[in-house]
């Protein structure tokens, strides 16, 4: 449970998280506690286990994952599983089923899919106090029949900022900038 890192600074800083393996890497900007919310809708990608197992002739598990971290003590967190017809969690949660936990500051609740093609997308997470939500997929094929796969990860933005506009600066020496 106590798996979160808390970074503090007297100065304004930017924190990024990077996941690197021997073939690729992925990362995200870590949002500060001040902009965390109490409601999120997961944006993930389906479990590609059977595509990869066929390709490499072995059994691997490459689930869709979401990590929920409490910023404050006694935070009630509710998780309602979205996904598709193949989706269930490794902990036995079924589609549209809601479960809850009380988390303290720094505690992380990790939920992953349990079935081939299972997907956490559309899952709704709500809480009594601000939380952070990071969604990932260990080996996503986009489109599904495309290989090789890549690790995907993103820190979700809370629903309170949906529909708002943000300024994204141009990056120096980059041919194509962010949309």
């Amino acid at each position: 449970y106590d798996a979160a890192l808390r970074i503090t600074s007297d100065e304004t800083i930017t924190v990024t998280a990077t996941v690197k393996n021997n073939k690729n890497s992925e990362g995200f900007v870590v949002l500060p506690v001040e902009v965390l919310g109490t409601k999120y809708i997961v944006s993930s990608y389906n479990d590609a286990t059977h595509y990869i197992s066929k390709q490499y002739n072995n059994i691997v598990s490459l689930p869709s994952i979401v990590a929920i971290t409490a910023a404050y003590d006694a935070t009630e967190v509710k998780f309602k599983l979205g996904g598709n017809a193949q989706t269930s969690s490794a902990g036995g949660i079924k589609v549209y089923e809601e479960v809850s936990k009380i988390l303290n500051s720094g505690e992380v609740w990790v939920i992953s899919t349990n079935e081939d093609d299972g997907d956490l997308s559309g899952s709704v997470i709500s809480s009594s106090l601000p939380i952070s939500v990071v969604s990932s997929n260990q080996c996503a094929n986009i489109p599904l029949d495309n290989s090789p796969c890549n690790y995907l990860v993103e820190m979700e933005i809370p629903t309170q900022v949906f529909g708002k506009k943000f300024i994204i600066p141009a990056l120096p020496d980059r041919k194509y900038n962010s949309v």
Side-chain angles (χ1 to χ4, degrees), residues 45 140-146 148 152:
Y45 208 71
N141 289 356
I142 304 171
L144 288 174
D145 60 354
N146 183 43
L152 293 178

Side-chain angles (χ1 to χ4, degrees), residues 17-62:
T18 304
V19 177
K20 181 157 178 43
N21 62 32
N22 62 348
K23 294 186 180 183
N24 58 43
S25 63
E26 174 69 319
F28 58 91
V29 174
V30 178
L31 300 176
V33 171
E34 296 80 19
V35 301
L36 298 179
T38 58
K39 185 172 181 186
Y40 295 82
I41 299 173
V42 175
S43 176
S44 189
Y45 208 71
N46 72 309
D47 180 331
T49 298
H50 72 281
Y51 295 103
I52 303 307
S53 292
K54 282 192 309 188
Q55 183 178 351
Y56 295 106
N57 295 321
N58 60 358
I59 303 298
V60 294
S61 180
L62 303 163

Side-chain angles (χ1 to χ4, degrees), residues 129-148:
L129 296 166
I131 56 173
S132 73
V133 175
V134 175
S135 62
S136 67
N137 187 295
Q138 295 179 52
C139 196
N141 289 356
I142 304 171
L144 288 174
D145 60 354
N146 183 43
S147 66

